[in-house]
Amino acid sequence: ESDKNDDITKTQPKKKARIDPTAKRPNQICDPYGQNGQPLSYTEANLNLQTILHSRWHLVLSHHEQSSSSSSHDDTNSNEQTTPRSIRTEFHHTDFYTASKFISQLAALAHNHHHYPKLTLERRLFKKEKCWKIVSRVDLCTVALGGLSYHYFHLGMLIDLEVERDAVRDLWLDDDKK
């Protein structure tokens, strides 16, 4: 019987060490964004922004670039400085209740596509107009990459389509109604 047990252990394949798929950053085995663990550069992000999304969206640059915009750029930090952190848009609403329904629509859309953007809702004072307005803001970024992936441009495109649907269109104010 001991010979049989030795044969069984010899024929079982050895398990390879697996890298944790829930690791903070994509690695050689797990690269869900197809970008080798790197966020999109400013040029790539800006091109996608101009060709795919509505003009209400804009790039949010990294804190490093904003703080060093007056200093000279050297080649060693040029990639880090030109990495946008997220894409952002804002919508204005008539009241807080309507804005919360709007945010719920966007949350459902994002959840159905397995994305979890930063959705904020606030009452903001506009000093020029001397009035308070209800504003919802959508920030799209890939935390694991520390910047943007193509996936969030796709989600931005889906949000653009969603906000133009009749049922959702009535929940926010366009430039004419502000």
Side-chain angles (χ1 to χ4, degrees):
E1 285 184 31
S2 64
D3 292 336
K4 287 182 181 178
N5 288 340
D6 289 338
D7 291 339
I8 291 172
T9 56
K10 289 179 184 176
T11 59
Q12 291 177 347
K14 292 182 181 179
K15 292 184 179 180
K16 292 182 180 179
R18 292 187 56 188
I19 295 176
D20 182 11
T22 61
K24 276 188 162 186
R25 299 190 58 85
N27 51 49
Q28 292 174 348
I29 294 175
C30 176
D31 187 16
Y33 306 105
Q35 297 174 204
N36 297 322
Q38 298 297 316
L40 295 177
S41 69
Y42 178 82
T43 306
E44 293 170 313
N46 198 31
L47 180 64
N48 278 295
L49 187 69
Q50 292 174 358
T51 57
I52 296 174
L53 300 176
H54 189 278
S55 62
R56 72 175 71 90
W57 292 90
H58 64 275
L59 293 174
V60 176
L61 302 176
S62 66
H63 293 297
H64 188 271
E65 182 175 350
Q66 290 173 351
S67 63
S68 66
S69 60
S70 59
S71 64
S72 63
H73 298 290
D74 59 352
D75 291 338
T76 58
N77 292 331
S78 63
N79 188 29
E80 182 179 302
Q81 291 177 350
T82 58
T83 303
R85 189 178 67 210
S86 66
I87 51 177
R88 176 181 293 166
T89 189
E90 291 185 346
F91 298 92
H92 297 256
H93 308 276
T94 56
D95 56 49
F96 203 82
Y97 178 71
T98 305
S100 67
K101 287 198 303 188
F102 178 81
I103 289 288
S104 293
Q105 291 286 330
L106 297 186
L109 172 76
H111 178 75
N112 287 339
H113 288 86
H114 306 289
H115 291 288
Y116 303 93
K118 182 178 178 183
L119 304 172
T120 57
L121 180 57
E122 65 182 336
R123 183 175 176 236
R124 189 185 302 162
L125 178 63
F126 286 80
K127 293 180 181 180
K128 255 186 179 176
E129 293 93 7
K130 297 180 183 176
C131 67
W132 290 91
K133 292 185 182 181
I134 307 299
V135 179
S136 60
R137 183 172 65 200
V138 181
D139 281 302
L140 306 178
C141 73
T142 306
V143 176
L145 294 177
L148 290 168
S149 69
Y150 292 108
H151 295 220
Y152 274 105
F153 285 95
H154 181 252
L155 181 62
M157 198 168 54
L158 293 173
I159 289 172
D160 284 344
L161 292 171
E162 180 70 13
V163 300
E164 294 301 329
R165 280 191 324 109
D166 290 338
V168 180
R169 182 71 190 94
D170 296 335
L171 300 176
W172 62 281
L173 303 172
D174 58 9
D175 292 332
D176 299 335
K177 296 178 186 177
K178 287 182 192 176

